Amino acid sequence: MVRVGLIGFGLAGASFHAPLIACVEGMELAAIATSRSTERFPTARRYDDPQALIDDDSLDLVVIATPNDSHAPLAQAALAAGRHVVVDKPLAIDDEDAVALVQLARGAGRLLSVFHNRRWDSDFLTVERLLREEVLGEVMLAEFRWDRFRPAIKPGWREAGGPGSGLLSDLGPHMIDQAIRLFGMPDAVAGDVTQQRPAAGVDDYFEVVLRYGARRVTIGSASLVAAPRPRFALHGTKGSFVKYGIDPQEAVLRAAGMPTDTGYGIEPEAQWGVLTDGEGASRPVRSEAGDWRGFYRAMRDAIRGEGAVPVDPVDAVRGLRVIAAARAG
């Protein structure tokens, strides 16, 4: 049994990490460090102090689901204490801190991974399959969008203006990770990052173009889009695939559902993407079943010596470098 300690019990910790860990066979959510109530997981020991959890020698794995600017120092402390570590994205505020964590983990002989759970989204798994099967031919234009309609500033650290806040640091790591996973590191990066809402204290819009020779991959998000653009749009030499809507897992977990619920991770037919061939004929494409538990199953196996970590932290370092390039313009 892999015993897990979770630091942070806000949205990410309480709605995503805790339910996933609790529903993976061979893992036990043994401890939670938070000032909030943890009554939903009564068997987990509650700590007020994150360091006290880190110092608990009964734990195999420490998961960090705290504000972005605390990721690197908490991960450093946990690795130094001899724990394996999972960090919610981003791994750190910048690539220098991220590289230091990778080196520390290697030196300590501990496993380090980053929670890029969106690799296990239904829509992304579908896109991966289409590319693997070469249904679209050579993809020359790809667009990844994640829009919101949020005119008012949402309370909390993500929009407060501190280190690691802003839309690019929030959604960018997921989208860039997906692009790199599909197409590799780009030859060049061009970014447009700004604030569009008058009261915004952080970036609430970004458009990042990744250049791969003649191929263009655009990643974008905006906070004033009432009619969302396609989540994925890929155009190749054999046809196009266009997909609207967001993977359903987050909505279930936010509503206090569990990954064991019937139909979890299954998209309704109305949300399937559409494949259009070179002759203009279109057909719906059944979405793959999404399941974020895949991340923790792989992490469990890696700790047991039965496979690699689910996300190589070097991938997260690459993503942070793309973000830095995008901010530089």
Side-chain angles (χ1 to χ4, degrees):
M1 184 67 69
V2 175
R3 288 175 54 81
V4 184
L6 172 62
I7 301 177
F9 206 61
L11 172 62
S15 295
F16 303 155
H17 293 277
L20 296 172
I21 294 164
C23 290
V24 168
E25 184 179 357
M27 276 192 156
E28 176 189 357
L29 181 59
I32 302 172
T34 182
S35 60
R36 296 182 166 102
S37 169
T38 59
E39 62 183 10
R40 188 181 176 199
F41 301 94
T43 61
R45 180 175 180 180
R46 182 178 168 281
Y47 287 98
D48 292 318
D49 178 17
Q51 188 61 51
L53 182 147
I54 289 170
D55 291 337
D56 185 341
D57 288 332
S58 73
L59 299 177
D60 304 297
L61 171 66
V62 169
V63 175
I64 297 166
T66 55
N68 291 350
D69 60 354
S70 64
H71 286 184
L74 286 172
Q76 182 179 16
L79 290 167
R83 314 290 170 242
H84 303 298
V85 175
V86 164
V87 184
D88 203 307
K89 57 78 194 169
L91 176 56
I93 296 299
D94 57 48
D95 66 304
E96 289 186 9
D97 285 345
V99 168
L101 289 176
V102 173
Q103 294 174 340
L104 177 59
R106 288 174 178 169
R110 299 291 89 185
L111 299 178
L112 173 65
S113 192
V114 187
F115 189 60
H116 282 301
N117 55 309
R118 295 290 174 175
R119 292 187 183 186
W120 288 267
D121 276 3
S122 58
D123 46 17
F124 181 69
L125 291 172
T126 304
V127 168
E128 275 194 314
R129 175 171 58 82
L130 292 176
L131 294 189
R132 189 168 57 249
E133 295 174 351
E134 301 183 348
V135 173
L136 301 176
E138 185 178 1
V139 173
M140 300 306 297
L141 175 63
E143 297 176 274
F144 301 178
R145 306 285 181 185
W146 195 336
D147 295 319
R148 297 165 168 170
F149 185 66
R150 190 178 290 170
I153 305 303
K154 187 177 180 179
W157 62 266
R158 287 179 176 82
E159 299 200 50
S165 61
L167 196 60
L168 183 56
S169 291
D170 185 21
L171 300 184
H174 281 312
M175 302 170 76
I176 291 168
D177 178 72
Q178 290 178 333
I180 291 174
R181 188 160 177 82
L182 293 178
F183 302 110
M185 279 294 282
D187 303 322
V189 177
D192 180 10
V193 186
T194 192
Q195 300 165 209
Q196 293 189 325
R197 294 171 299 173
V202 296
D203 57 271
D204 58 7
Y205 166 93
F206 67 82
E207 188 92 349
V208 179
V209 179
L210 310 180
R211 297 172 180 165
Y212 301 83
R215 176 189 293 136
R216 295 292 182 267
V217 177
T218 300
I219 295 166
S221 181
S223 302
L224 293 173
V225 180
R229 296 169 288 183
R231 175 71 178 89
F232 288 98
L234 294 93
H235 308 281
T237 55
K238 292 182 180 179
S240 297
F241 177 71
V242 178
K243 169 76 172 59
Y244 286 84
I246 298 292
D247 173 275
Q249 294 176 82
E250 179 171 341
V252 172
L253 296 176
R254 276 177 174 262
M258 294 294 282
T260 50
D261 291 353
T262 301
Y264 174 82
I266 304 299
E267 285 196 324
E269 186 173 351
Q271 202 169 310
W272 293 354
V274 174
L275 178 67
T276 302
D277 65 23
E279 302 301 319
S282 297
R283 64 176 176 85
V285 176
R286 179 188 295 273
S287 294
E288 296 288 309
D291 193 345
W292 295 350
R293 285 174 294 180
F295 176 92
Y296 276 112
R297 289 180 182 128
M299 194 67 198
R300 172 203 63 199
D301 293 346
I303 291 171
R304 291 174 171 176
E306 299 171 358
V309 294
V311 176
D312 188 330
V314 173
D315 291 349
V317 173
R318 295 185 180 116
L320 286 168
R321 288 174 176 161
V322 171
I323 288 175
R327 290 195 185 282

